[in-house]
Amino acid sequence: RDFWRSRDRVARAPAIARADIPTLLWSGWHEPGALGSLDLYTVLQNVAAGRSATGPITKGESVSGKYQVIIGD
């Protein structure tokens, strides 16, 4: 378990956002990481905006162009 826990992208996302690293996520709807990309995008946006890392991004909340996600086939 420690092996996989140390590679958890979503768990490491707050450190990426705090380090101010621009990130482009790219995956397809039928790829195994598609949902993980959306989770990672949400955490990056939330931490950058000072919101709870695990909360939803709701209508009217700001997002940063520094973190982007492309999902498509």
Side-chain angles (χ1 to χ4, degrees):
R1 284 188 179 196
D2 290 336
F3 175 84
W4 291 112
R5 196 172 294 135
S6 70
R7 286 155 180 79
D8 183 352
R9 299 172 294 176
V10 174
R12 298 179 122 196
I16 294 169
R18 284 191 299 271
D20 206 29
I21 300 170
T23 306
L24 173 63
L25 308 166
W26 193 335
S27 63
W29 286 116
H30 302 289
E31 294 178 28
L35 294 178
S37 294
L38 291 174
D39 290 339
L40 182 55
Y41 171 80
T42 302
V43 173
L44 289 169
Q45 291 290 354
N46 282 338
V47 171
R51 298 185 292 261
S52 168
T54 57
I57 300 173
T58 60
K59 182 179 177 180
E61 289 184 321
S62 64
V63 294
S64 170
K66 187 177 294 184
Y67 308 109
Q68 299 181 23
V69 62
I70 299 170
I71 299 181
D73 292 323

